[in-house]
PDB file of all heavy atoms in Angstrom:
ATOM      1  N   LEU V 880      -8.964  -2.863  18.735  1.00 98.00           N
ATOM      2  CA  LEU V 880      -8.191  -2.100  19.607  1.00 98.00           C
ATOM      3  C   LEU V 880      -7.109  -1.335  18.913  1.00 98.00           C
ATOM      4  O   LEU V 880      -6.258  -1.888  18.236  1.00 98.00           O
ATOM      5  CB  LEU V 880      -7.490  -3.063  20.660  1.00 98.00           C
ATOM      6  CG  LEU V 880      -8.445  -3.928  21.505  1.00 98.00           C
ATOM      7  CD1 LEU V 880      -7.592  -4.565  22.704  1.00 98.00           C
ATOM      8  CD2 LEU V 880      -9.618  -3.127  22.058  1.00 98.00           C
ATOM      9  N   ALA V 881      -7.216  -0.086  19.080  1.00 98.00           N
ATOM     10  CA  ALA V 881      -6.294   0.846  18.256  1.00 98.00           C
ATOM     11  C   ALA V 881      -5.897   2.069  19.077  1.00 98.00           C
ATOM     12  O   ALA V 881      -5.672   3.162  18.456  1.00 98.00           O
ATOM     13  CB  ALA V 881      -6.925   1.191  16.954  1.00 98.00           C
ATOM     14  N   ALA V 882      -5.914   1.974  20.409  1.00 97.00           N
ATOM     15  CA  ALA V 882      -5.666   3.207  21.208  1.00 97.00           C
ATOM     16  C   ALA V 882      -4.267   3.433  21.564  1.00 97.00           C
ATOM     17  O   ALA V 882      -3.923   4.548  21.855  1.00 97.00           O
ATOM     18  CB  ALA V 882      -6.539   3.081  22.460  1.00 97.00           C
ATOM     19  N   GLY V 883      -3.433   2.402  21.420  1.00 93.00           N
ATOM     20  CA  GLY V 883      -2.048   2.550  21.860  1.00 93.00           C
ATOM     21  C   GLY V 883      -1.199   3.453  21.019  1.00 93.00           C
ATOM     22  O   GLY V 883      -1.514   3.636  19.774  1.00 93.00           O
ATOM     23  N   GLN V 884      -0.216   4.025  21.538  1.00 91.00           N
ATOM     24  CA  GLN V 884       0.808   4.911  20.737  1.00 91.00           C
ATOM     25  C   GLN V 884       1.725   4.038  20.014  1.00 91.00           C
ATOM     26  O   GLN V 884       2.026   4.330  18.806  1.00 91.00           O
ATOM     27  CB  GLN V 884       1.545   5.845  21.691  1.00 91.00           C
ATOM     28  CG  GLN V 884       2.545   6.685  21.004  1.00 91.00           C
ATOM     29  CD  GLN V 884       3.388   7.536  21.993  1.00 91.00           C
ATOM     30  OE1 GLN V 884       3.105   7.507  23.193  1.00 91.00           O
ATOM     31  NE2 GLN V 884       4.270   8.337  21.423  1.00 91.00           N
ATOM     32  N   ARG V 887       7.139   1.361  20.950  1.00 95.00           N
ATOM     33  CA  ARG V 887       8.372   0.627  20.485  1.00 95.00           C
ATOM     34  C   ARG V 887       8.540   0.944  18.966  1.00 95.00           C
ATOM     35  O   ARG V 887       9.588   0.559  18.462  1.00 95.00           O
ATOM     36  CB  ARG V 887       8.118  -0.859  20.614  1.00 95.00           C
ATOM     37  CG  ARG V 887       8.281  -1.389  22.130  1.00 95.00           C
ATOM     38  CD  ARG V 887       7.700  -2.713  22.351  1.00 95.00           C
ATOM     39  NE  ARG V 887       6.239  -2.703  22.454  1.00 95.00           N
ATOM     40  CZ  ARG V 887       5.498  -3.791  22.684  1.00 95.00           C
ATOM     41  NH1 ARG V 887       6.117  -4.923  22.835  1.00 95.00           N
ATOM     42  NH2 ARG V 887       4.230  -3.749  22.712  1.00 95.00           N
ATOM     43  N   LYS V 894       0.628   3.850  16.035  1.00 97.00           N
ATOM     44  CA  LYS V 894       1.187   2.606  15.511  1.00 97.00           C
ATOM     45  C   LYS V 894       0.267   2.023  14.382  1.00 97.00           C
ATOM     46  O   LYS V 894       0.757   1.616  13.362  1.00 97.00           O
ATOM     47  CB  LYS V 894       1.359   1.572  16.608  1.00 97.00           C
ATOM     48  CG  LYS V 894       1.712   0.276  16.004  1.00 97.00           C
ATOM     49  CD  LYS V 894       2.338  -0.694  17.045  1.00 97.00           C
ATOM     50  CE  LYS V 894       1.346  -1.193  18.110  1.00 97.00           C
ATOM     51  NZ  LYS V 894       2.022  -2.216  18.963  1.00 97.00           N
ATOM     52  N   VAL V 895      -1.100   1.991  14.669  1.00 98.00           N
ATOM     53  CA  VAL V 895      -1.949   1.380  13.646  1.00 98.00           C
ATOM     54  C   VAL V 895      -2.059   2.067  12.376  1.00 98.00           C
ATOM     55  O   VAL V 895      -2.680   1.506  11.478  1.00 98.00           O
ATOM     56  CB  VAL V 895      -3.359   1.149  14.290  1.00 98.00           C
ATOM     57  CG1 VAL V 895      -3.297   0.225  15.524  1.00 98.00           C
ATOM     58  CG2 VAL V 895      -4.047   2.520  14.665  1.00 98.00           C
ATOM     59  N   VAL V 923     -11.673   1.171  19.212  1.00 98.00           N
ATOM     60  CA  VAL V 923     -11.232   1.908  20.434  1.00 98.00           C
ATOM     61  C   VAL V 923      -9.937   2.682  20.075  1.00 98.00           C
ATOM     62  O   VAL V 923      -8.982   2.065  19.652  1.00 98.00           O
ATOM     63  CB  VAL V 923     -10.856   0.847  21.602  1.00 98.00           C
ATOM     64  CG1 VAL V 923     -10.578   1.655  22.838  1.00 98.00           C
ATOM     65  CG2 VAL V 923     -12.012  -0.038  21.810  1.00 98.00           C
ATOM     66  N   GLN V 951     -10.734   5.767  24.603  1.00 98.00           N
ATOM     67  CA  GLN V 951     -10.050   5.326  25.810  1.00 98.00           C
ATOM     68  C   GLN V 951      -9.096   6.444  26.235  1.00 98.00           C
ATOM     69  O   GLN V 951      -7.992   6.617  25.521  1.00 98.00           O
ATOM     70  CB  GLN V 951      -9.270   4.027  25.449  1.00 98.00           C
ATOM     71  CG  GLN V 951      -8.616   3.386  26.702  1.00 98.00           C
ATOM     72  CD  GLN V 951      -7.654   2.267  26.453  1.00 98.00           C
ATOM     73  OE1 GLN V 951      -7.089   2.256  25.319  1.00 98.00           O
ATOM     74  NE2 GLN V 951      -7.327   1.419  27.445  1.00 98.00           N
ATOM     75  N   LYS V 953      -7.103   7.022  28.833  1.00 96.00           N
ATOM     76  CA  LYS V 953      -5.682   6.622  29.138  1.00 96.00           C
ATOM     77  C   LYS V 953      -5.554   5.195  28.703  1.00 96.00           C
ATOM     78  O   LYS V 953      -6.378   4.380  28.940  1.00 96.00           O
ATOM     79  CB  LYS V 953      -5.446   6.723  30.666  1.00 96.00           C
ATOM     80  CG  LYS V 953      -5.151   8.112  31.118  1.00 96.00           C
ATOM     81  CD  LYS V 953      -4.654   8.138  32.544  1.00 96.00           C
ATOM     82  CE  LYS V 953      -4.310   9.535  32.941  1.00 96.00           C
ATOM     83  NZ  LYS V 953      -4.558   9.741  34.384  1.00 96.00           N
ATOM     84  N   GLN V 954      -4.383   4.808  28.215  1.00 96.00           N
ATOM     85  CA  GLN V 954      -4.149   3.413  27.701  1.00 96.00           C
ATOM     86  C   GLN V 954      -3.679   2.583  28.857  1.00 96.00           C
ATOM     87  O   GLN V 954      -2.530   2.428  29.068  1.00 96.00           O
ATOM     88  CB  GLN V 954      -3.170   3.472  26.564  1.00 96.00           C
ATOM     89  CG  GLN V 954      -3.784   3.948  25.303  1.00 96.00           C
ATOM     90  CD  GLN V 954      -3.988   5.434  25.290  1.00 96.00           C
ATOM     91  OE1 GLN V 954      -3.025   6.253  25.320  1.00 96.00           O
ATOM     92  NE2 GLN V 954      -5.206   5.981  25.180  1.00 96.00           N
ATOM     93  N   LEU V 955      -4.639   2.052  29.563  1.00 97.00           N
ATOM     94  CA  LEU V 955      -4.367   1.271  30.782  1.00 97.00           C
ATOM     95  C   LEU V 955      -4.334  -0.215  30.477  1.00 97.00           C
ATOM     96  O   LEU V 955      -4.402  -1.033  31.445  1.00 97.00           O
ATOM     97  CB  LEU V 955      -5.422   1.577  31.825  1.00 97.00           C
ATOM     98  CG  LEU V 955      -5.524   3.061  32.252  1.00 97.00           C
ATOM     99  CD1 LEU V 955      -6.613   3.258  33.346  1.00 97.00           C
ATOM    100  CD2 LEU V 955      -4.167   3.515  32.833  1.00 97.00           C
ATOM    101  N   GLY V 956      -4.297  -0.621  29.187  1.00 97.00           N
ATOM    102  CA  GLY V 956      -4.192  -2.049  28.917  1.00 97.00           C
ATOM    103  C   GLY V 956      -5.256  -2.540  28.017  1.00 97.00           C
ATOM    104  O   GLY V 956      -6.286  -1.859  27.814  1.00 97.00           O
ATOM    105  N   THR V 957      -5.075  -3.701  27.418  1.00 98.00           N
ATOM    106  CA  THR V 957      -6.015  -4.241  26.390  1.00 98.00           C
ATOM    107  C   THR V 957      -7.392  -4.484  26.983  1.00 98.00           C
ATOM    108  O   THR V 957      -8.461  -4.257  26.351  1.00 98.00           O
ATOM    109  CB  THR V 957      -5.446  -5.463  25.706  1.00 98.00           C
ATOM    110  OG1 THR V 957      -4.937  -6.377  26.723  1.00 98.00           O
ATOM    111  CG2 THR V 957      -4.282  -5.116  24.756  1.00 98.00           C
ATOM    112  N   HIS V 959      -8.716  -2.950  29.620  1.00 98.00           N
ATOM    113  CA  HIS V 959      -9.303  -1.700  29.848  1.00 98.00           C
ATOM    114  C   HIS V 959      -9.896  -1.176  28.566  1.00 98.00           C
ATOM    115  O   HIS V 959     -10.991  -0.579  28.571  1.00 98.00           O
ATOM    116  CB  HIS V 959      -8.256  -0.738  30.502  1.00 98.00           C
ATOM    117  CG  HIS V 959      -8.817   0.573  30.872  1.00 98.00           C
ATOM    118  ND1 HIS V 959      -8.595   1.645  29.983  1.00 98.00           N
ATOM    119  CD2 HIS V 959      -9.421   1.069  31.872  1.00 98.00           C
ATOM    120  CE1 HIS V 959      -9.198   2.770  30.534  1.00 98.00           C
ATOM    121  NE2 HIS V 959      -9.715   2.439  31.699  1.00 98.00           N
ATOM    122  N   ALA V 960      -9.192  -1.361  27.431  1.00 98.00           N
ATOM    123  CA  ALA V 960      -9.660  -0.849  26.238  1.00 98.00           C
ATOM    124  C   ALA V 960     -10.966  -1.514  25.837  1.00 98.00           C
ATOM    125  O   ALA V 960     -11.994  -0.853  25.408  1.00 98.00           O
ATOM    126  CB  ALA V 960      -8.566  -1.134  25.060  1.00 98.00           C
ATOM    127  N   TYR V 978      -6.876  -6.916  17.060  1.00 98.00           N
ATOM    128  CA  TYR V 978      -5.927  -5.909  17.387  1.00 98.00           C
ATOM    129  C   TYR V 978      -5.506  -5.117  16.218  1.00 98.00           C
ATOM    130  O   TYR V 978      -5.220  -5.672  15.183  1.00 98.00           O
ATOM    131  CB  TYR V 978      -4.716  -6.607  18.087  1.00 98.00           C
ATOM    132  CG  TYR V 978      -4.887  -7.013  19.504  1.00 98.00           C
ATOM    133  CD1 TYR V 978      -6.047  -7.056  20.013  1.00 98.00           C
ATOM    134  CD2 TYR V 978      -3.791  -7.535  20.208  1.00 98.00           C
ATOM    135  CE1 TYR V 978      -6.304  -7.582  21.352  1.00 98.00           C
ATOM    136  CE2 TYR V 978      -3.913  -8.049  21.472  1.00 98.00           C
ATOM    137  CZ  TYR V 978      -5.206  -8.092  22.119  1.00 98.00           C
ATOM    138  OH  TYR V 978      -5.398  -8.423  23.311  1.00 98.00           O
ATOM    139  N   GLY V 979      -5.513  -3.824  16.350  1.00 98.00           N
ATOM    140  CA  GLY V 979      -5.092  -2.998  15.248  1.00 98.00           C
ATOM    141  C   GLY V 979      -3.676  -3.208  14.807  1.00 98.00           C
ATOM    142  O   GLY V 979      -3.342  -2.722  13.693  1.00 98.00           O
ATOM    143  N   ASP V 980      -2.919  -3.880  15.622  1.00 98.00           N
ATOM    144  CA  ASP V 980      -1.494  -4.075  15.200  1.00 98.00           C
ATOM    145  C   ASP V 980      -1.255  -5.556  14.788  1.00 98.00           C
ATOM    146  O   ASP V 980      -0.112  -5.933  14.780  1.00 98.00           O
ATOM    147  CB  ASP V 980      -0.587  -3.611  16.323  1.00 98.00           C
ATOM    148  CG  ASP V 980      -0.632  -4.486  17.583  1.00 98.00           C
ATOM    149  OD1 ASP V 980      -1.570  -5.244  17.693  1.00 98.00           O
ATOM    150  OD2 ASP V 980       0.263  -4.356  18.446  1.00 98.00           O
ATOM    151  N   VAL V 981      -2.324  -6.182  14.494  1.00 98.00           N
ATOM    152  CA  VAL V 981      -2.211  -7.555  13.829  1.00 98.00           C
ATOM    153  C   VAL V 981      -2.926  -7.511  12.516  1.00 98.00           C
ATOM    154  O   VAL V 981      -4.087  -7.829  12.437  1.00 98.00           O
ATOM    155  CB  VAL V 981      -2.804  -8.618  14.880  1.00 98.00           C
ATOM    156  CG1 VAL V 981      -2.683 -10.012  14.290  1.00 98.00           C
ATOM    157  CG2 VAL V 981      -2.185  -8.554  16.229  1.00 98.00           C
ATOM    158  N   GLY V1011       8.201 -11.579  23.188  1.00 93.00           N
ATOM    159  CA  GLY V1011       7.268 -10.521  23.495  1.00 93.00           C
ATOM    160  C   GLY V1011       5.853 -10.855  23.632  1.00 93.00           C
ATOM    161  O   GLY V1011       5.002 -10.088  23.957  1.00 93.00           O
ATOM    162  N   MET V1012       5.548 -12.092  23.166  1.00 96.00           N
ATOM    163  CA  MET V1012       4.117 -12.498  23.037  1.00 96.00           C
ATOM    164  C   MET V1012       3.606 -13.103  24.334  1.00 96.00           C
ATOM    165  O   MET V1012       4.434 -13.692  25.130  1.00 96.00           O
ATOM    166  CB  MET V1012       3.915 -13.483  21.878  1.00 96.00           C
ATOM    167  CG  MET V1012       4.314 -12.960  20.540  1.00 96.00           C
ATOM    168  SD  MET V1012       3.023 -11.646  20.099  1.00 96.00           S
ATOM    169  CE  MET V1012       4.139 -10.424  19.464  1.00 96.00           C
ATOM    170  N   GLY V1013       2.264 -13.094  24.527  1.00 97.00           N
ATOM    171  CA  GLY V1013       1.721 -13.802  25.645  1.00 97.00           C
ATOM    172  C   GLY V1013       1.714 -15.315  25.336  1.00 97.00           C
ATOM    173  O   GLY V1013       1.413 -15.682  24.235  1.00 97.00           O
ATOM    174  N   ILE V1026      -3.419 -17.266  30.044  1.00 98.00           N
ATOM    175  CA  ILE V1026      -2.404 -16.687  29.194  1.00 98.00           C
ATOM    176  C   ILE V1026      -1.457 -15.993  30.165  1.00 98.00           C
ATOM    177  O   ILE V1026      -1.939 -15.291  31.044  1.00 98.00           O
ATOM    178  CB  ILE V1026      -2.940 -15.740  28.196  1.00 98.00           C
ATOM    179  CG1 ILE V1026      -3.942 -16.446  27.249  1.00 98.00           C
ATOM    180  CG2 ILE V1026      -1.856 -15.108  27.344  1.00 98.00           C
ATOM    181  CD1 ILE V1026      -4.670 -15.478  26.193  1.00 98.00           C
ATOM    182  N   GLU V1028       1.610 -13.178  30.102  1.00 97.00           N
ATOM    183  CA  GLU V1028       2.448 -12.283  29.285  1.00 97.00           C
ATOM    184  C   GLU V1028       3.901 -12.561  29.485  1.00 97.00           C
ATOM    185  O   GLU V1028       4.306 -12.864  30.647  1.00 97.00           O
ATOM    186  CB  GLU V1028       2.088 -10.865  29.629  1.00 97.00           C
ATOM    187  CG  GLU V1028       0.730 -10.313  29.311  1.00 97.00           C
ATOM    188  CD  GLU V1028       0.455 -10.564  27.835  1.00 97.00           C
ATOM    189  OE1 GLU V1028       1.199  -9.928  27.023  1.00 97.00           O
ATOM    190  OE2 GLU V1028      -0.424 -11.361  27.463  1.00 97.00           O
ATOM    191  N   ILE V1042       1.649 -19.178  21.281  1.00 98.00           N
ATOM    192  CA  ILE V1042       1.350 -17.771  21.754  1.00 98.00           C
ATOM    193  C   ILE V1042      -0.101 -17.381  21.494  1.00 98.00           C
ATOM    194  O   ILE V1042      -0.779 -17.936  20.675  1.00 98.00           O
ATOM    195  CB  ILE V1042       2.366 -16.786  21.117  1.00 98.00           C
ATOM    196  CG1 ILE V1042       2.148 -16.772  19.565  1.00 98.00           C
ATOM    197  CG2 ILE V1042       3.867 -17.143  21.358  1.00 98.00           C
ATOM    198  CD1 ILE V1042       1.785 -15.477  19.055  1.00 98.00           C
ATOM    199  N   ASN V1043      -0.431 -16.226  22.140  1.00 98.00           N
ATOM    200  CA  ASN V1043      -1.718 -15.651  21.983  1.00 98.00           C
ATOM    201  C   ASN V1043      -1.683 -14.668  20.806  1.00 98.00           C
ATOM    202  O   ASN V1043      -0.806 -13.740  20.782  1.00 98.00           O
ATOM    203  CB  ASN V1043      -2.080 -14.780  23.243  1.00 98.00           C
ATOM    204  CG  ASN V1043      -3.315 -13.980  23.073  1.00 98.00           C
ATOM    205  OD1 ASN V1043      -4.222 -14.339  22.378  1.00 98.00           O
ATOM    206  ND2 ASN V1043      -3.273 -12.869  23.784  1.00 98.00           N
ATOM    207  N   THR V1044      -2.497 -14.917  19.744  1.00 97.00           N
ATOM    208  CA  THR V1044      -2.444 -13.942  18.694  1.00 97.00           C
ATOM    209  C   THR V1044      -3.122 -12.654  18.987  1.00 97.00           C
ATOM    210  O   THR V1044      -3.009 -11.592  18.303  1.00 97.00           O
ATOM    211  CB  THR V1044      -3.121 -14.457  17.390  1.00 97.00           C
ATOM    212  OG1 THR V1044      -4.529 -14.624  17.823  1.00 97.00           O
ATOM    213  CG2 THR V1044      -2.595 -15.797  17.008  1.00 97.00           C
ATOM    214  N   GLY V1045      -3.951 -12.590  20.087  1.00 96.00           N
ATOM    215  CA  GLY V1045      -4.676 -11.410  20.479  1.00 96.00           C
ATOM    216  C   GLY V1045      -6.088 -11.552  20.052  1.00 96.00           C
ATOM    217  O   GLY V1045      -6.960 -10.821  20.560  1.00 96.00           O
ATOM    218  N   GLU V1069      -1.039  -3.068  34.140  1.00 97.00           N
ATOM    219  CA  GLU V1069      -2.108  -2.931  33.146  1.00 97.00           C
ATOM    220  C   GLU V1069      -3.297  -3.809  33.354  1.00 97.00           C
ATOM    221  O   GLU V1069      -3.122  -4.917  33.961  1.00 97.00           O
ATOM    222  CB  GLU V1069      -1.476  -3.119  31.732  1.00 97.00           C
ATOM    223  CG  GLU V1069      -0.623  -2.013  31.239  1.00 97.00           C
ATOM    224  CD  GLU V1069      -0.239  -2.257  29.819  1.00 97.00           C
ATOM    225  OE1 GLU V1069      -0.687  -3.248  29.185  1.00 97.00           O
ATOM    226  OE2 GLU V1069       0.630  -1.527  29.315  1.00 97.00           O
ATOM    227  N   TYR V1071      -5.061  -6.436  31.752  1.00 98.00           N
ATOM    228  CA  TYR V1071      -4.868  -7.364  30.563  1.00 98.00           C
ATOM    229  C   TYR V1071      -6.125  -7.936  30.162  1.00 98.00           C
ATOM    230  O   TYR V1071      -6.888  -8.682  30.947  1.00 98.00           O
ATOM    231  CB  TYR V1071      -3.885  -8.543  30.878  1.00 98.00           C
ATOM    232  CG  TYR V1071      -2.446  -8.191  31.239  1.00 98.00           C
ATOM    233  CD1 TYR V1071      -1.624  -9.094  31.931  1.00 98.00           C
ATOM    234  CD2 TYR V1071      -1.816  -6.965  30.798  1.00 98.00           C
ATOM    235  CE1 TYR V1071      -0.282  -8.871  32.155  1.00 98.00           C
ATOM    236  CE2 TYR V1071      -0.517  -6.747  31.070  1.00 98.00           C
ATOM    237  CZ  TYR V1071       0.249  -7.691  31.674  1.00 98.00           C
ATOM    238  OH  TYR V1071       1.610  -7.428  32.021  1.00 98.00           O
ATOM    239  N   LEU V1072      -6.425  -7.955  28.839  1.00 98.00           N
ATOM    240  CA  LEU V1072      -7.582  -8.672  28.349  1.00 98.00           C
ATOM    241  C   LEU V1072      -7.402 -10.210  28.539  1.00 98.00           C
ATOM    242  O   LEU V1072      -8.276 -10.928  28.787  1.00 98.00           O
ATOM    243  CB  LEU V1072      -7.753  -8.381  26.807  1.00 98.00           C
ATOM    244  CG  LEU V1072      -8.898  -9.169  26.114  1.00 98.00           C
ATOM    245  CD1 LEU V1072     -10.191  -8.878  26.582  1.00 98.00           C
ATOM    246  CD2 LEU V1072      -8.728  -8.890  24.623  1.00 98.00           C
ATOM    247  N   THR V1073      -6.167 -10.580  28.343  1.00 98.00           N
ATOM    248  CA  THR V1073      -5.850 -12.010  28.401  1.00 98.00           C
ATOM    249  C   THR V1073      -6.203 -12.682  29.749  1.00 98.00           C
ATOM    250  O   THR V1073      -6.403 -13.908  29.725  1.00 98.00           O
ATOM    251  CB  THR V1073      -4.284 -12.130  28.269  1.00 98.00           C
ATOM    252  OG1 THR V1073      -3.662 -11.159  29.055  1.00 98.00           O
ATOM    253  CG2 THR V1073      -3.838 -11.846  26.784  1.00 98.00           C
ATOM    254  N   PHE V1097      -0.745 -13.977  11.551  1.00 97.00           N
ATOM    255  CA  PHE V1097      -1.330 -13.462  12.786  1.00 97.00           C
ATOM    256  C   PHE V1097      -0.214 -12.798  13.691  1.00 97.00           C
ATOM    257  O   PHE V1097      -0.392 -12.676  14.936  1.00 97.00           O
ATOM    258  CB  PHE V1097      -2.039 -14.588  13.574  1.00 97.00           C
ATOM    259  CG  PHE V1097      -3.163 -15.082  12.723  1.00 97.00           C
ATOM    260  CD1 PHE V1097      -3.172 -16.229  11.930  1.00 97.00           C
ATOM    261  CD2 PHE V1097      -4.413 -14.337  12.813  1.00 97.00           C
ATOM    262  CE1 PHE V1097      -4.222 -16.640  11.295  1.00 97.00           C
ATOM    263  CE2 PHE V1097      -5.458 -14.816  12.176  1.00 97.00           C
ATOM    264  CZ  PHE V1097      -5.416 -15.877  11.307  1.00 97.00           C
ATOM    265  N   ALA V1098       0.868 -12.435  12.936  1.00 96.00           N
ATOM    266  CA  ALA V1098       1.959 -11.797  13.781  1.00 96.00           C
ATOM    267  C   ALA V1098       1.638 -10.371  14.189  1.00 96.00           C
ATOM    268  O   ALA V1098       1.055  -9.603  13.294  1.00 96.00           O
ATOM    269  CB  ALA V1098       3.319 -11.864  12.918  1.00 96.00           C
ATOM    270  N   GLY V1099       1.923  -9.965  15.327  1.00 96.00           N
ATOM    271  CA  GLY V1099       1.687  -8.626  15.826  1.00 96.00           C
ATOM    272  C   GLY V1099       2.906  -7.722  15.421  1.00 96.00           C
ATOM    273  O   GLY V1099       3.964  -8.181  15.256  1.00 96.00           O
ATOM    274  N   ASN V1101       4.964  -4.670  16.647  1.00 96.00           N
ATOM    275  CA  ASN V1101       5.361  -3.771  17.742  1.00 96.00           C
ATOM    276  C   ASN V1101       6.550  -2.890  17.429  1.00 96.00           C
ATOM    277  O   ASN V1101       6.755  -1.920  18.120  1.00 96.00           O
ATOM    278  CB  ASN V1101       5.664  -4.619  18.983  1.00 96.00           C
ATOM    279  CG  ASN V1101       4.390  -5.428  19.519  1.00 96.00           C
ATOM    280  OD1 ASN V1101       3.346  -4.814  19.529  1.00 96.00           O
ATOM    281  ND2 ASN V1101       4.546  -6.672  19.815  1.00 96.00           N
TER     282      ASN V1101
HETATM  283  C1  UD1 U 305      -0.914  -8.324  23.242  1.00 83.50           C
HETATM  284  C2  UD1 U 305      -1.357  -9.467  24.188  1.00 83.50           C
HETATM  285  C3  UD1 U 305      -0.379 -10.680  24.032  1.00 83.50           C
HETATM  286  C4  UD1 U 305      -0.420 -11.120  22.536  1.00 83.50           C
HETATM  287  C5  UD1 U 305      -0.036 -10.002  21.701  1.00 83.50           C
HETATM  288  C6  UD1 U 305      -0.251 -10.489  20.239  1.00 83.50           C
HETATM  289  C7  UD1 U 305      -2.343  -8.481  26.133  1.00 83.50           C
HETATM  290  C8  UD1 U 305      -2.252  -8.077  27.488  1.00 83.50           C
HETATM  291  N1  UD1 U 305      -1.294  -8.983  25.565  1.00 83.50           N
HETATM  292  O1  UD1 U 305       0.442  -7.933  23.656  1.00 83.50           O
HETATM  293  O2  UD1 U 305      -0.869 -11.794  24.854  1.00 83.50           O
HETATM  294  O3  UD1 U 305       0.527 -12.145  22.431  1.00 83.50           O
HETATM  295  O4  UD1 U 305      -0.809  -8.812  21.888  1.00 83.50           O
HETATM  296  O5  UD1 U 305       0.117  -9.481  19.253  1.00 83.50           O
HETATM  297  O6  UD1 U 305      -3.431  -8.344  25.625  1.00 83.50           O
HETATM  298  N2  UD1 U 305      -4.273  -1.189  22.993  1.00 83.50           N
HETATM  299  C9  UD1 U 305      -5.328  -0.344  23.393  1.00 83.50           C
HETATM  300  N3  UD1 U 305      -5.337   0.261  24.551  1.00 83.50           N
HETATM  301  C10 UD1 U 305      -4.527  -0.070  25.520  1.00 83.50           C
HETATM  302  C11 UD1 U 305      -3.374  -1.036  25.204  1.00 83.50           C
HETATM  303  C12 UD1 U 305      -3.418  -1.485  23.996  1.00 83.50           C
HETATM  304  O7  UD1 U 305      -6.146   0.046  22.493  1.00 83.50           O
HETATM  305  O8  UD1 U 305      -4.640   0.423  26.672  1.00 83.50           O
HETATM  306  C13 UD1 U 305      -4.205  -1.789  21.628  1.00 83.50           C
HETATM  307  C14 UD1 U 305      -2.938  -1.306  20.908  1.00 83.50           C
HETATM  308  O9  UD1 U 305      -3.097  -0.196  20.228  1.00 83.50           O
HETATM  309  C15 UD1 U 305      -2.747  -2.493  20.031  1.00 83.50           C
HETATM  310  C16 UD1 U 305      -3.300  -3.695  20.744  1.00 83.50           C
HETATM  311  O10 UD1 U 305      -4.188  -3.115  21.738  1.00 83.50           O
HETATM  312  O11 UD1 U 305      -3.328  -2.367  18.800  1.00 83.50           O
HETATM  313  C17 UD1 U 305      -2.327  -4.574  21.465  1.00 83.50           C
HETATM  314  O12 UD1 U 305      -1.538  -3.788  22.400  1.00 83.50           O
HETATM  315  P1  UD1 U 305      -0.039  -4.042  22.672  1.00 83.50           P
HETATM  316  O13 UD1 U 305       0.418  -3.097  23.749  1.00 83.50           O
HETATM  317  O14 UD1 U 305       0.708  -4.045  21.386  1.00 83.50           O
HETATM  318  O15 UD1 U 305       0.011  -5.495  23.284  1.00 83.50           O
HETATM  319  P2  UD1 U 305       1.045  -6.559  23.140  1.00 83.50           P
HETATM  320  O16 UD1 U 305       2.217  -6.234  24.200  1.00 83.50           O
HETATM  321  O17 UD1 U 305       1.615  -6.766  21.872  1.00 83.50           O
END
Side-chain angles (χ1 to χ4, degrees):
L880 302 190
Q884 175 179 2
R887 289 165 282 182
K894 175 162 68 174
V895 297
V923 184
Q951 185 192 22
K953 277 192 181 149
Q954 285 74 65
L955 301 180
T957 48
H959 181 263
Y978 285 7
D980 67 348
V981 182
M1012 298 290 135
I1026 299 176
E1028 290 306 298
I1042 63 120
N1043 170 31
T1044 64
E1069 285 187 5
Y1071 291 163
L1072 172 65
T1073 44
F1097 295 96
N1101 295 318

